Amino acid sequence: MSEPSIFTRILTGDIPGEILLDTGRVFAIRDIDPQAPLHVLVIPKTEEYRDVTELAAGDPTLLAEMVAAAKRIADEHANGEYRLIFNNGASVAQSVFHVHAHVLGNLEENKLVGF
């Protein structure tokens, strides 16, 4: 059996992290290396899916729950405006292979964060 992901370890309290939202199947934490004034990760509690493509094929309802959680975070912290990013593969900066979405908000006008 493989080791739990860093996200699972944060969820279980093995590693400290600021959990902003817990909906039952999805939780959200602040990113430890923020790329925007608001940078939150939305993560399913299951480690079953490595990336968004696997999640979309395996459990589209869970993917929809992640998007709803992202909107809720943005509504509470960024006037409802946000950028939602899924990295899918090591060559495009996915470093944890437990599917997660980056919610970015409160960006300066015309300043997009690229990663």
Side-chain angles (χ1 to χ4, degrees):
M1 186 170 183
S2 66
E3 291 288 319
S5 76
I6 190 168
F7 300 143
T8 297
R9 294 175 65 207
I10 290 169
L11 182 63
T12 61
D14 293 338
I15 295 175
E18 183 181 357
I19 297 177
L20 299 177
L21 177 69
D22 185 336
T23 68
R25 294 203 320 152
V26 171
F27 69 105
I29 60 174
R30 290 198 187 273
D31 193 292
I32 62 169
D33 184 24
Q35 303 297 305
L38 175 69
H39 188 166
V40 173
L41 304 178
V42 176
I43 309 156
K45 291 182 178 180
T46 180
E47 291 189 54
E48 183 176 355
Y49 306 103
R50 290 174 45 86
D51 57 50
V52 68
T53 304
E54 287 184 7
L55 177 60
D59 193 344
T61 302
L62 183 54
L63 177 56
E65 288 178 38
M66 289 180 68
V67 174
K71 179 171 180 0
R72 186 168 159 191
I73 290 291
D75 286 347
E76 293 174 10
H77 299 278
N79 297 319
E81 296 183 352
Y82 63 103
R83 186 175 181 193
L84 187 62
I85 300 168
F86 288 91
N87 295 326
N88 194 15
S91 70
V92 292
Q94 184 178 3
S95 59
V96 178
F97 291 88
H98 175 159
V99 64
H100 58 285
H102 297 259
V103 180
L104 304 177
N106 299 326
L107 300 168
E108 295 176 27
E109 188 174 331
N110 296 321
K111 183 178 179 185
L112 294 178
V113 177
F115 67 91

